[in-house]
Amino acid sequence: MKLLKEPLVQFALLGAILFAAYAWLHRADAPVGDAPPAPIRLGESDVRWIRETWARQWGREPTDEEMRGLVGAFLEEHAMAREAARMGLDDDDMIVRRRLAQKLQFLIQDVARVADPSDDELRRFLESHADLFGIPPTVTFTHILFKNLGRADAQADAAAALAMLRGPAPRPAPAELGDPMLMDADFIDATPQTVGDAFGPEFSRAVFDAPRGEWSGPFQSAYGLHLVLIRSTTPAATASFETVRDAVLERYRDDRAREAYRRFVAELLQRQGVDADESVRRWLPPDLTPAAPERPE
Amino acid sequence: MIRRPTLAFLLAVGVASPSFARQAQVSDIGTLDADAAARVYPDKPPYSPYADRNFPTRPYFGDTHLHTSFSMDAGAFGCRLTPDDAYRFARGEQVTSSTNQPVRLSRPLDFLVVADHSDGFGFFPLLMSGDPGLLATEQGRKWYDQIRSGHGADAALDIIVSFGKGDLPDGFPLPGTPAYRSAWQEVIKSAEKANDPGRFTALIGYEWTSNAGGNNLHRNVIFRGDGAQASRVEPFTTLEPLGSPNPVDLWKWMAAAQDKTGSELLAIAHNGNLSNGIMFPTLEAFGEKLDREYVQTRARWERLYEVTQTKGTGEAHPYLSPNDEFANFEIWDKGNLDGTVAKTNDMLQHEYAREALKSGLKLEAEFGTNPYKFGLIGSTDAHTGLAAVEEENFFGKVTPQEPGPDRMTKAFVDNPKTGVKIMDWQVSSSGFAAVWATENTREAIFDAMQRRETYATTGSRMIVRFFGGWDFVPADAHDRLPARLGYTKGVPMGGDLMGAPSGRSPTFLVAALKDPIGANLDRIQIIKGWLDAGGQLHERVFDVVWGDADSRRPGPDGKLPPVGTTVDVASASWTNTIGDPELIAVWTDPEFDPAQRAFYYARVLEIPTPRWTAYDQVRLGSKALPGTTMTLQERGYTSPIWYTPAK
């Protein structure tokens, strides 16, 4: 299956499917009653398949008599199905239509998934999706809250406290300043999401931008004004490829399957064209230019 | 199973522990009070972020109950999103909804359980692929035709009704069939892909949808373990003979599955409000008298109850709690799930969580075990693949209720024969499960659920702490580290208090912090239920602490005046100019009797805000029907703390 890893082969496969689908979709263009169809092919493999299916179901080999009956039924089904298709009976049948579309969808998605990308390709994918696999930055900090409630001027109180914390010794202990709060005063190795979930996104941004190693602020949160001492930070990092390779591969395959299908459908629609009545054109997907279907020569 | 604080932890709070003392010498935050500072704020936290923090420091928010197109009814209603899509959305990615609308959460969730109906897993894909066996049946053909002619909603309701009657076509996928197995494998594979320990948890689960006679006895079953373990079984269904609609059989299956998989399991019941009086039986269930075994088994497997979701809130009912002015909240009390039998008042006592918590006390007195000793969570039960239940970002319960001009005016359930009618506007934009886990992993979240350290919200991400003990004093409410104090001096929500020390009443430390991007808080209440010496059950709601306390006092009747409102329905807006962002208090039970069994839980109310219906009017220009609820007070409900007298 090494070949299948080659993007060129993948592309060729998709192309082949597209071509097959295209040919199939246009087969009805041939007027009914034209040249007689090719005979129904009955090969050794077909007969083997008929025999095995029967044997699986009944737990024994079919007798010769039964085999003749089974082959007869096989031919009958094929002949009927082909004639029905020739007459266009499948065209307006939602069961057939949906089943065929679904088969093709699975096929496309499977092909897109089977394609095992090279490590280089995965690395590139990881780079372009760093947010999904990356290690977010963290911050370890202590904060002091000044609530508006019960203070005439929380801003002034916070500023005064900041001056004391930054001023000459003796300095007050942080625990003596500000107001108590349900949330911990210390946050250890907190990600932007953790800080944001606790205090809101603006506060999170402010904390990650605050200077290290000194008290700063006040910064506004949903609960009041905070002075903040950033004790340490770690920058955002790209996850090492080896540790996330499996996850990247999964995501790559998923995205690939979705994208391949989406592209396939878009291309297919574009190629086949849609001949829409004026009155219903507003319902067409915006990227689809309505046109009469192009006919092969 | 309640985790008691360790000795080391007591030391850390009371006096400086050796490691803290050592660090105090390298303090750079002051000299005067270096010791005091080091005690409370060690200059340098230990290298290991989890050292000295063996209790949960933040709640994780999630949804334990989300359906995707893998659920037969969701599929019939038009849901096309898969479990993969559901996880991507929960993690904060933008996705395209089944009605082709871009949608994203304001903030990612921390965890998610895709819980599709175990009956007919893979049914919908099979039906829509035109499976010849299924379409050869009268029903299969009828549903298929309904769906293809654009009457998917009718088909969905018919499927639900037929399912309730156990009247399903041949060819319906059952455990053991390839279609069934492959659907279950897809669900597992999706969860395995999305699970990212420390950042996002995807628990494996499914919904067991017992719906006998249209009466809702649904449970969500959740695995603690991983995909390899869950793959060793296929979900339990309700269709006989393989499955059963009787919860007793589900518990048997869970016990066997636990042995077979090596993974622990739990079950969470929901929507007693649509069970027509059979969710919380007190005398008999499925024709059998309740006995010791029933109560023990139920207590063993069902340690949580889903109290609020899109199909209404089931904490309390105005008929059962006439003195509770907030009991009438998002109530669905017209009938059973499919509307085939109308509701009568005598059913209500077996449907609502508060009443069940009370009955549990009585059953415990009788059988020695309380079958209804459950904690509380909320979840969505959305059938859209989208856990989107913020009022201003509500994507409906089912796909036809995704934002659109008609979603406020149509009927969701309408049975002219029984008169049961529920309008789409009554669908609730609710709720979430908040779990006080020590970290964001399958194991930690599952374990926190098992010890009931959880609370429900109606969609808000407020933070709620609730501790019970014998030694809390008013000053504790002003402590810098209320959580440490709480775990040191008491037990958290979901815990137990046993045998009161002589002459003491239980004390509670309760606190709430508003959702950082949400509304201020109106009040915290503690709800007490108890069993008196005469065998009578009682309840009482206490206002414990409230916002705007400087200007807002209880009247002569003891009643706290309403917080007021800032909501402007016409513009769907409000301001945080009333209420408080944070509330905390210590409360002592003023009428405690040490000989009587009791439970206590906290209810936290936000100030009024616009309901999703109000946002719809503004954004979609749709007109609400007369009588439509346009504002609400979002709320949180904690798991109770139980008091049991010494023997």
Side-chain angles (χ1 to χ4, degrees):
Chain A
M1 295 305 268
K2 188 116 199 177
L3 256 185
L4 284 173
K5 292 185 183 178
E6 294 300 321
L8 200 64
V9 176
Q10 295 168 19
F11 189 76
L13 259 174
L14 277 173
I17 294 168
L18 186 68
F19 179 79
Y22 186 67
W24 180 83
L25 281 156
H26 284 79
R27 83 226 170 282
D29 295 343
V32 177
D34 239 15
I40 301 165
R41 165 96 189 124
L42 181 71
E44 246 177 69
S45 60
D46 296 316
V47 175
R48 200 182 318 122
W49 178 81
I50 292 170
R51 182 187 291 280
E52 282 168 5
T53 312
W54 198 93
R56 249 202 316 278
Q57 202 166 347
W58 296 93
R60 64 171 174 83
E61 293 290 307
T63 63
D64 287 358
E65 190 60 25
E66 282 163 344
M67 253 334 266
R68 268 187 291 274
L70 289 169
V71 169
F74 173 87
L75 294 175
E76 178 186 330
E77 190 180 279
H78 274 250
M80 288 298 284
R82 284 171 56 154
E83 190 58 17
R86 245 167 48 83
M87 291 165 68
L89 294 185
D90 51 346
D91 257 13
D92 208 26
D93 188 314
M94 181 181 260
I95 299 176
V96 176
R97 194 166 67 223
R98 199 161 269 180
R99 181 70 182 145
L100 284 172
Q102 199 184 42
K103 272 173 104 166
L104 186 55
Q105 179 184 358
F106 289 160
L107 192 59
I108 292 159
Q109 290 185 336
D110 282 353
V111 170
R113 284 188 67 85
V114 160
D116 241 342
S118 67
D119 275 9
D120 278 352
E121 210 164 331
L122 285 182
R123 278 177 207 277
R124 278 197 299 278
F125 185 82
L126 172 59
E127 265 170 47
S128 58
H129 294 75
D131 53 323
L132 288 177
F133 303 100
I135 301 161
T138 68
V139 60
T140 297
F141 68 96
T142 301
H143 72 99
I144 306 169
L145 171 67
F146 295 81
K147 296 176 183 171
N148 289 318
L149 197 71
R151 291 179 185 276
D153 188 347
Q155 183 79 36
D157 291 353
L162 182 62
M164 281 195 279
L165 289 165
R166 283 177 164 177
R171 291 180 288 251
E176 293 174 350
L177 301 169
D179 299 310
M181 188 194 186
L182 185 55
M183 204 81 77
D184 275 9
D186 294 302
F187 276 69
I188 301 170
D189 294 342
T191 63
Q193 193 185 320
T194 309
V195 182
D197 283 354
F199 299 106
E202 289 86 15
F203 183 80
S204 175
R205 276 190 287 276
V207 166
F208 275 89
D209 287 343
R212 251 185 84 168
E214 58 174 334
W215 284 96
S216 62
F219 303 114
Q220 182 80 49
S221 83
Y223 310 109
L225 295 165
H226 303 250
L227 298 180
V228 167
L229 171 61
I230 309 295
R231 297 176 182 276
S232 65
T233 55
T234 59
T238 326
S240 89
F241 177 69
E242 286 68 29
T243 55
V244 293
R245 189 182 180 284
D246 289 354
V248 173
L249 177 61
E250 255 326 311
R251 180 75 188 203
Y252 178 92
R253 283 175 164 165
D254 269 12
D255 282 10
R256 206 59 194 282
R258 283 166 192 252
E259 177 57 19
Y261 181 65
R262 197 193 57 74
R263 236 179 27 217
F264 185 83
V265 171
E267 225 165 287
L268 202 57
L269 278 171
Q270 210 55 256
R271 256 177 106 158
Q272 293 180 9
V274 175
D275 179 14
D277 289 340
E278 187 63 48
S279 59
V280 297
R281 287 210 177 151
R282 62 194 178 110
W283 305 116
L284 291 178
D287 47 345
L288 188 76
T289 20
E294 66 179 71
R295 303 269 171 185
E297 290 307 309
Chain B
M1 282 300 287
I2 303 308
R3 256 186 220 165
R4 295 308 310 262
T6 64
L7 183 61
F9 179 42
L10 287 166
L11 282 171
V13 174
V15 290
S17 74
S19 69
F20 283 8
R22 215 168 33 247
Q23 283 155 6
Q25 293 163 12
V26 290
S27 166
D28 70 350
I29 50 169
T31 49
L32 184 65
D33 286 290
D35 285 345
R39 191 162 63 234
V40 189
Y41 292 104
D43 160 61
K44 199 169 176 302
Y47 176 79
S48 164
Y50 305 109
D52 299 326
R53 280 156 67 111
N54 55 356
F55 62 86
T57 54
R58 57 163 291 195
Y60 293 100
F61 288 97
D63 181 3
T64 64
H65 189 180
L66 181 66
H67 295 270
T68 71
S69 59
F70 283 36
S71 287
M72 52 174 180
D73 53 346
F77 269 123
C79 177
R80 294 292 174 265
L81 267 53
T82 62
D84 274 355
D85 297 316
Y87 284 120
R88 286 189 179 192
F89 179 73
R91 297 200 64 169
E93 288 186 46
Q94 180 166 316
V95 304
T96 302
S97 80
S98 301
T99 53
N100 213 23
Q101 307 188 52
V103 54
R104 185 175 193 166
L105 283 173
S106 68
R107 295 156 280 179
L109 287 173
D110 299 308
F111 68 93
L112 175 68
V113 186
V114 167
D116 281 310
H117 299 293
S118 65
D119 282 282
F121 245 148
F123 165 76
F124 194 73
L126 204 64
L127 177 68
M128 289 322 285
S129 71
D131 180 72
L134 209 49
L135 286 166
T137 65
E138 194 187 323
Q139 285 165 297
R141 172 49 80 174
K142 178 174 140 204
W143 295 334
Y144 183 84
D145 290 342
Q146 278 179 324
I147 292 163
R148 71 179 259 206
S149 62
H151 296 93
D154 296 339
L157 289 173
D158 195 39
I159 290 171
I160 294 170
V161 172
S162 306
F163 179 69
K165 292 193 216 137
D167 174 21
L168 286 162
D170 293 338
F172 193 77
L174 295 169
T177 61
Y180 195 91
R181 186 169 313 133
S182 88
W184 176 231
Q185 284 305 324
E186 280 295 312
V187 170
I188 291 175
K189 207 171 86 190
S190 248
E192 292 293 279
K193 277 192 290 185
N195 192 48
D196 186 359
R199 287 166 74 174
F200 181 84
T201 294
L203 288 151
I204 298 168
Y206 67 86
E207 179 177 332
W208 174 79
T209 311
S210 167
N211 211 22
N215 299 331
N216 183 316
L217 284 179
H218 305 182
R219 265 90 171 160
N220 288 309
V221 177
I222 298 173
F223 291 76
R224 182 179 191 265
D226 62 17
Q229 292 175 308
S231 295
R232 287 180 202 142
V233 290
E234 282 175 38
F236 191 58
T237 53
T238 69
L239 286 179
E240 296 176 292
L242 276 179
S244 157
N246 189 340
V248 168
D249 295 317
L250 173 70
W251 304 329
K252 278 186 200 140
W253 178 89
M254 289 174 78
Q258 192 158 296
D259 285 346
K260 200 164 171 192
T261 61
S263 161
E264 283 181 58
L265 287 100
L266 60 83
I268 307 174
H270 67 87
N271 282 113
N273 60 345
L274 303 172
S275 76
N276 272 12
I278 62 170
M279 177 56 85
F280 301 111
T282 50
L283 293 173
E284 58 165 54
F286 281 77
E288 304 272 332
K289 276 184 110 60
L290 295 199
D291 57 13
R292 213 166 261 278
E293 175 154 359
Y294 179 94
V295 297
Q296 283 175 0
T297 318
R298 183 157 180 157
R300 160 82 184 81
W301 296 108
E302 305 200 348
R303 295 169 67 93
L304 291 179
Y305 181 66
E306 183 190 297
V307 73
T308 177
Q309 60 133 282
T310 43
K311 288 198 306 287
T313 293
E315 181 228 357
H317 189 279
Y319 175 80
L320 302 169
S321 306
N323 296 324
D324 179 355
E325 60 187 306
F326 298 103
N328 191 8
F329 180 77
E330 302 284 315
I331 293 291
W332 280 36
D333 60 358
K334 299 289 184 265
N336 55 358
L337 179 61
D338 59 10
T340 50
V341 182
K343 186 83 68 202
T344 55
N345 280 340
D346 59 310
M347 297 172 180
L348 297 171
Q349 56 176 315
H350 299 117
E351 299 193 342
Y352 285 79
R354 187 186 299 170
E355 210 61 23
L357 290 166
K358 283 156 66 183
S359 316
L361 301 177
K362 202 166 179 178
L363 290 166
E364 184 180 47
E366 188 178 348
F367 293 114
T369 304
N370 178 350
Y372 304 134
K373 196 167 180 176
F374 50 73
L376 299 177
I377 55 132
S379 278
T380 68
D381 195 9
H383 282 53
T384 55
L386 304 167
V389 291
E390 291 156 305
E391 300 296 330
E392 95 292 20
N393 193 26
F394 181 46
F395 265 64
K397 174 179 173 58
V398 293
T399 300
Q401 292 165 351
E402 287 184 5
D406 296 335
R407 74 161 167 174
M408 278 207 288
T409 49
K410 290 199 167 151
F412 182 52
V413 178
D414 187 5
N415 190 326
K417 249 189 280 174
T418 56
V420 175
K421 187 170 187 180
I422 294 164
M423 302 300 293
D424 276 344
W425 68 257
Q426 290 175 289
V427 171
S428 257
S429 181
S430 179
F432 283 133
V435 177
W436 285 106
T438 47
E439 56 181 10
N440 191 358
T441 61
R442 281 176 174 164
E443 297 76 15
I445 286 179
F446 186 97
D447 293 348
M449 288 178 168
Q450 280 296 67
R451 64 175 189 266
R452 297 178 287 246
E453 202 172 341
T454 63
Y455 60 96
T457 81
T458 54
S460 157
R461 298 203 202 176
M462 60 170 73
I463 292 180
V464 186
R465 289 283 201 184
F466 184 47
F467 298 98
W470 304 104
D471 305 316
F472 289 111
V473 291
D476 292 344
H478 306 293
D479 193 88
R480 287 276 170 167
L481 297 164
R484 290 198 172 192
L485 212 51
Y487 284 103
T488 311
K489 293 170 79 168
V491 296
M493 55 184 76
D496 280 294
L497 298 173
M498 317 281 242
S502 157
R504 307 285 280 278
S505 290
T507 58
F508 297 88
L509 175 62
V510 62
L513 200 58
K514 81 179 191 80
D515 181 332
I517 60 170
N520 273 350
L521 306 173
D522 165 9
R523 67 182 80 191
I524 302 180
Q525 302 175 307
I526 288 181
I527 289 129
K528 177 187 179 185
W530 71 98
L531 175 68
D532 71 17
Q536 294 298 304
L537 290 164
H538 305 272
E539 66 175 60
R540 192 168 164 194
V541 181
F542 298 89
D543 289 313
V544 169
V545 56
W546 49 89
D548 307 325
D550 47 347
S551 58
R552 193 167 159 227
R553 304 238 155 70
D557 56 351
K559 219 176 114 177
L560 186 66
V563 69
T565 182
T566 66
V567 176
D568 177 38
V569 172
S571 62
S573 62
W574 94 101
T575 60
N576 268 332
T577 45
I578 56 171
D580 279 10
E582 184 175 10
L583 296 172
I584 184 166
V586 166
W587 179 80
T588 304
D589 181 358
E591 32 182 61
F592 178 66
D593 181 337
Q596 298 178 350
R597 293 169 202 278
F599 65 83
Y600 305 83
Y601 67 91
R603 180 168 70 186
V604 184
L605 270 65
E606 286 184 0
I607 62 169
T609 44
R611 196 171 177 268
W612 67 266
T613 41
Y615 289 102
D616 265 31
Q617 279 206 145
V618 172
R619 292 191 197 159
L620 300 171
S622 19
K623 187 98 187 69
L625 297 171
T628 302
T629 310
M630 303 303 277
T631 67
L632 82 176
Q633 287 186 269
E634 302 271 14
R635 52 200 69 194
Y637 308 104
T638 72
S639 291
I641 291 171
W642 286 266
Y643 168 73
T644 313
K647 280 187 184 144

